Amino acid sequence: EMAYMEIYNEEIRDLLSKNPKSDELRMQENRDGTVGMINLTKKAVKSPSEVGDLMELANKKRVVASTHMNAVSSRSHAVC
């Protein structure tokens, strides 16, 4: 199973969702002190190539902008 999200400008985006900016996506601290995501899209995967395909698709939804050093710098942090 795989999920992929990014954090950009203090906003969490679900990169495997058809609507990455969904208001239903939330962080939650669990009773044991761990942090989990509510309503984060999860996809079943059976091989490394399926993971790669999903990452490629999700990367197209990431926020990018130019900087002085890089024309297509990612402006977010991604977690897969």
Side-chain angles (χ1 to χ4, degrees):
E1 193 169 73
M2 176 184 161
Y4 199 11
M5 66 179 196
E6 76 173 344
I7 303 168
Y8 174 70
N9 279 347
E10 299 181 23
E11 180 179 294
I12 301 168
R13 295 170 34 104
D14 183 347
L15 297 175
L16 295 180
S17 171
K18 291 179 181 173
N19 180 14
K21 291 186 177 183
S22 173
D23 292 334
E24 297 176 12
L25 188 60
R26 300 188 333 261
M27 287 180 100
Q28 175 180 344
E29 185 173 356
N30 300 316
R31 292 181 185 174
D32 63 1
T34 60
V35 176
M37 295 302 302
I38 305 296
N39 298 322
L40 183 63
T41 302
K42 296 176 185 169
K43 301 281 186 177
V45 292
K46 296 180 182 175
S47 69
S49 65
E50 286 183 8
V51 172
D53 290 345
L54 285 174
M55 288 185 75
E56 189 175 315
L57 178 70
N59 280 335
K60 292 177 183 175
K61 297 179 184 179
R62 291 196 61 200
V63 175
V64 294
S66 64
T67 66
H68 292 294
M69 298 295 288
N70 188 338
V72 289
S73 175
S74 171
R75 309 307 300 159
S76 66
H77 299 281
V79 180
C80 181

